Amino acid sequence: PIREKELEACLRKWIPEELQVESHEEEANTETDTGSSLMSSEEGDKNIKIQCLDMVEGIKNCGSKEFLMELIGDFWLMIDSKSAKIKQLFEEGNIRDYTVEVHALKNNARMVGATKLSEMFYEMEQLGNEEKVAEIGNKLPKLLEFYNSYKKSLEEFAPKQDAEEKVKVSGEQIKETLTRLHDAVDGFDLDAADEAMKELDTYELPEELKPMLEQLRISVTDVAMEEIMEITQKMCDLC
């Protein structure tokens, strides 16, 4: 994980002072001693408690409580699909892709302060790199059980869908937004993709599109580009 405050301190050290430009917000918040600033932030965050997470570590990794809480919601959203994916990859004997997935999950868990889970994913990554298939098979059920336990533990931090009434739009409007999302991903414009996804979430969709919208939301969160493009195309075909 990238610790933003430590990265900023490092950049300040090596970038010539005449090339550094402060924003008004940075000028107001900059501490003379970056180390003491980090310490005071961590002390304040010790009062934030989520039983299954190390919040001080999570905030340190994410740079702020607000970004951490956003990532916790994304982490929760991905549990079911990621559990199914690593189980499927292992059962298919695709150890290479399995190892790539557990490597990513190791980092995701560490980012949100799920330290023990991150360590378990790290162990499974090492076993994957060494192609110790039998040992993976023995340990995978326990890992998946522990990973899936976060679904209940973090349920209250799940991304909330707006309770406001959905907007009724035409099939052409839905298709236009889906196309915009598809093209944004194709052009690696992730900000535009997120905006299109947020817009889709405000629409009242036909029943046949709703299950695909949920899968699309998960794919956008995971930045699964091929899946996003495939789902948006299928949804457009039904509009």
Side-chain angles (χ1 to χ4, degrees):
I2 297 173
R3 295 178 176 173
E4 293 181 7
K5 292 179 181 178
E6 294 180 19
L7 175 60
E8 180 183 349
C10 184
L11 291 172
R12 286 180 184 278
K13 177 180 178 181
W14 294 106
I15 295 176
E17 190 172 343
E18 63 272 15
L19 297 180
Q20 298 182 31
V21 179
E22 301 279 3
S23 71
H24 294 303
E25 183 179 352
E26 287 172 337
E27 289 172 354
N29 293 330
T30 298
E31 296 279 344
T32 303
D33 182 350
T34 304
S36 66
S37 177
L38 280 168
M39 287 299 294
S40 62
S41 174
E42 291 174 16
E43 287 297 322
D45 294 329
K46 287 181 179 178
N47 295 323
I48 305 169
K49 301 290 184 182
I50 298 178
Q51 188 173 3
C52 59
L53 301 179
D54 182 339
M55 293 296 287
V56 172
E57 184 67 17
I59 291 172
K60 189 187 298 182
N61 293 336
C62 294
S64 71
K65 175 190 170 185
E66 290 71 26
F67 187 44
L68 171 60
M69 299 310 293
E70 182 180 336
L71 285 188
I72 289 173
D74 291 344
F75 180 81
W76 179 91
L77 185 65
M78 299 302 303
I79 290 173
D80 289 339
S81 61
K82 286 297 185 181
S83 292
K85 188 168 187 178
I86 59 176
K87 185 174 185 291
Q88 179 184 356
L89 288 171
F90 175 72
E91 290 176 347
E92 291 174 347
N94 190 342
I95 301 302
R96 179 180 178 182
D97 287 352
Y98 161 87
T99 305
V100 170
E101 288 293 330
V102 293
H103 167 80
L105 288 168
K106 171 198 70 178
N107 292 337
N108 292 345
R110 186 179 174 194
M111 281 293 291
V112 299
T115 309
K116 181 179 177 181
L117 180 62
S118 179
E119 291 170 354
M120 293 174 73
F121 279 128
Y122 174 73
E123 180 184 13
M124 297 299 271
E125 178 189 3
Q126 296 303 108
L127 293 174
N129 287 332
E130 297 168 9
E131 297 188 355
K132 293 184 176 179
V133 177
E135 197 167 347
I136 293 173
N138 290 333
K139 294 186 175 184
L140 186 57
K142 182 178 179 181
L143 169 66
L144 291 176
E145 181 182 3
F146 186 55
Y147 182 31
N148 286 321
S149 72
Y150 282 79
K151 190 75 176 180
K152 183 176 181 180
S153 300
L154 299 176
E155 189 171 12
E156 65 180 292
F157 306 102
K160 301 293 190 295
Q161 298 302 311
D162 292 337
E164 298 178 6
E165 187 175 347
K166 299 288 186 179
V167 179
K168 292 184 179 181
V169 294
S170 66
E172 284 302 313
Q173 179 62 51
I174 296 170
K175 188 172 183 178
E176 187 278 328
T177 308
L178 286 166
T179 301
R180 187 151 31 92
L181 173 54
H182 182 286
D183 292 346
V185 171
D186 193 34
F188 298 95
D189 188 345
L190 300 184
D191 288 337
D194 285 338
E195 286 302 314
M197 188 68 238
K198 289 176 183 177
E199 190 173 325
L200 281 170
D201 275 330
T202 68
Y203 294 167
E204 178 60 54
L205 297 181
E207 288 300 320
E208 63 267 23
L209 294 183
K210 290 180 180 178
M212 282 185 273
L213 180 69
E214 181 61 26
Q215 185 56 51
L216 181 60
R217 186 181 296 112
I218 292 171
S219 297
V220 170
T221 301
D222 194 31
V223 198
M225 302 178 76
E226 291 184 6
E227 292 177 13
I228 294 169
M229 296 175 73
E230 180 181 341
I231 295 168
T232 51
Q233 186 58 61
K234 287 181 179 178
M235 294 177 74
C236 281
D237 291 342
L238 291 173
C239 288

